[in-house]
Amino acid sequence: MATHRIAAIPGDGIGAEVVAAGIEVLGVLQERTPGLSLTFESFPWGSDFYRTHGRMMPEDGLRRLKGFDAIYFGAVGDPDLPDHETLWGLRLAICQGFDQYANVRPARVLAGVPCPLVGVGPGDLDWIIVRENSEGEYSGAGGRVHRGLAEEVAVETSVFTAAGVRRIMRFAFALAHNRPRRHLTCVTKSNAQRHGMVLWDEIFAETAREFADVTTDKMLVDAMTTRMVLKPRSLDVVVASNLHADILSDLAAALSGSLGLAPTANLNPEQSFPSMFEPIHGSGFDIAGKGIANPIGAFWSAAMMLDHLGEGPAAATLLGAIEQVLAGRRVMPADLGGQATTAEVTVAVCGVLRGANL
Ligand code: NAD
Ligand code: IPM
Ligand code: MN
């Protein structure tokens, strides 16, 4: 029996609250699943660590994480600290340092969850957004000149490499190929961004020729927002650049019910480094400490982590338990219109797992 070693980085605000809940649920799943063995080591990195040590993680942080099979992450971000330092000091440092270039963001209307779109229910909105996660608008290339002077200049350069675009296109096509509808939509902005986005489109077209059984279309990112709202059934898998997919995935989460539901996997598909799993939401300044964060996004992310670790049946059991709780509509968190706390949702999912016939 293989033991999967998980590094947990709860981080800040509601990130820490939902990761604690996720570890509890995984503990119960493990008790109930013969052959499933997970160990957790928790790293107290984040904004409090920054206040004490002047950095978000130790200098050898990546080296310490490298030997783990996966990373289970909460969120970072503190209202009193500069976001660009805290985010780059931990989460983005891990995504880029471990070359987690494929960011997979499913959005699906689950039974029992009210969808804000009229007449849209389970089966009508079932998407996976594939986000390029290593370069593009988040390359970090740029700088500031003439600091503090009237003529100050700030340059933020998007970097699109052919190798980087090709690998995410191949990943997205392969994912679409393995879904029943086999459809991939490429999001672009090549009408205005005439260098990087044109390369993006060219490599999309070139890769399409390798995947003849996947149907394709292309959307400008602005028009894509309206298609997501007005024609949700027309979409299946979506591939988009780092920033475009960041924005579209929050919209996708809200359209599927709430940001609190949405999971993500930051994958290094070659498995040269551990991959990282987290809800897509942030540290939730406005609700942190109240015990009311929806933990389902963190649970669903844990299911994605189990899948990645080769524990498909356990992942399906966990997803099934989430779906059963939501479909029951008795224990609903505040963001889904209910009154259940994080702890109550966690108890409900654990209860289903305990009663599950595994
Ligand atoms: P956010 O995702 O933290 O919150 C946006 C809104 O959604 C808030 O009203 C919040 O209460 C609500 N929300 C989010 N998750 C929820 C949940 N699980 N249950 C119920 N409601 C939920 O985004 P923000 O306010 O833009 O950012 C706050 C901080 O988090 C910033 O510092 C930002 O940079 C950071 N952030 C970090 C990550 C990450 O570490 N992965 C992701 C996004 C934002
Ligand atoms: C996300 C977040 C991050 C991102 C931020 C916090 C840097 O918004 O995971 O969606 O854009 O990658
Ligand atoms: Mn985001």
Side-chain angles (χ1 to χ4, degrees):
M1 175 173 82
T3 293
H4 305 294
R5 294 182 61 236
I6 316 291
I9 307 180
D12 302 336
I14 63 170
E17 298 169 29
V18 298
V19 160
I23 292 175
E24 206 177 314
V25 163
L26 285 168
V28 173
L29 181 66
Q30 181 169 213
E31 280 167 25
R32 304 283 303 149
T33 312
L36 178 65
S37 173
L38 306 170
T39 61
F40 293 90
E41 188 173 331
S42 193
F43 294 87
W45 301 341
S47 295
D48 285 340
F49 188 92
Y50 181 97
R51 276 185 263 270
T52 313
H53 302 277
R55 46 187 311 138
M56 294 294 285
M57 64 174 163
E59 208 169 338
D60 65 347
L62 290 185
R63 189 188 59 72
R64 288 167 65 180
L65 293 175
K66 189 164 187 298
F68 284 87
D69 297 311
I71 302 166
Y72 189 43
F73 194 86
V76 280
D78 183 290
D80 300 325
L81 295 176
D83 254 2
H84 64 281
E85 285 187 28
T86 56
L87 269 305
W88 275 98
L90 190 56
R91 182 181 171 279
L92 293 170
I94 297 171
C95 289
Q96 296 209 346
F98 285 167
D99 205 16
Q100 294 165 345
Y101 65 85
N103 185 212
V104 178
R105 300 190 157 198
R108 180 146 52 94
V109 176
L110 301 175
V113 173
C115 173
L117 300 175
V118 177
V120 174
D124 295 326
L125 189 164
D126 182 358
W127 308 332
I128 297 187
I129 297 179
V130 175
R131 172 184 184 184
E132 200 298 312
N133 212 33
S134 68
E135 54 174 39
E137 307 88 342
Y138 283 51
S139 67
R144 288 169 69 169
V145 180
H146 306 310
R147 271 209 187 236
L149 303 178
E151 58 273 38
E152 181 162 359
V153 176
V155 177
E156 186 88 43
T157 306
S158 293
V159 173
F160 290 88
T161 65
V165 176
R166 194 164 286 121
R167 66 185 183 173
I168 199 65
M169 292 302 177
R170 288 213 171 111
F171 182 92
F173 270 100
L175 197 150
H177 166 84
N178 287 323
R179 302 244 303 168
R181 291 189 48 205
R182 293 191 170 164
H183 187 72
L184 179 63
T185 301
C186 175
V187 172
T188 185
K189 190 65 194 174
S190 51
N191 53 351
Q193 294 178 297
R194 59 199 181 131
H195 306 297
M197 283 280 106
V198 175
L199 178 70
W200 177 266
D201 292 357
E202 285 170 6
I203 294 177
F204 176 73
E206 175 191 308
T207 315
R209 291 195 282 275
E210 295 170 27
F211 290 86
D213 59 347
V214 176
T215 57
T216 62
D217 57 15
K218 202 166 88 177
M219 290 299 293
L220 294 164
V221 65
D222 44 355
M224 181 66 173
T225 59
T226 66
R227 179 162 165 198
M228 287 168 70
V229 172
L230 300 175
K231 294 185 178 166
R233 295 169 195 84
S234 73
L235 295 165
D236 178 19
V237 181
V238 173
V239 64
S241 70
N242 216 328
L243 181 62
H244 290 164
D246 175 42
I247 298 164
L248 295 178
S249 58
D250 268 29
L251 174 60
L255 295 177
S256 69
S258 170
L259 188 52
L261 292 169
T264 191
N266 300 280
L267 301 177
N268 172 255
E270 290 73 29
Q271 308 217 25
S272 316
F273 300 99
S275 294
M276 179 161 72
F277 302 82
E278 56 174 348
I280 79 166
H281 64 74
S283 52
F285 299 156
D286 52 343
I287 58 167
K290 295 184 178 165
I292 56 166
N294 182 351
I296 302 279
F299 298 168
W300 192 342
S301 305
M304 293 179 85
M305 178 167 76
L306 290 169
D307 238 336
H308 175 77
L309 293 170
E311 302 288 356
T317 301
L318 177 50
L319 206 50
I322 293 169
E323 290 181 301
Q324 200 173 317
V325 168
L326 293 172
R329 296 194 55 82
R330 259 189 336 100
V331 185
M332 289 299 244
D335 61 330
L336 298 179
Q339 293 185 334
T341 60
T342 310
E344 287 164 346
V345 177
T346 307
V347 166
V349 173
C350 289
V352 172
L353 290 173
R354 287 205 172 89
N357 188 14
L358 303 177

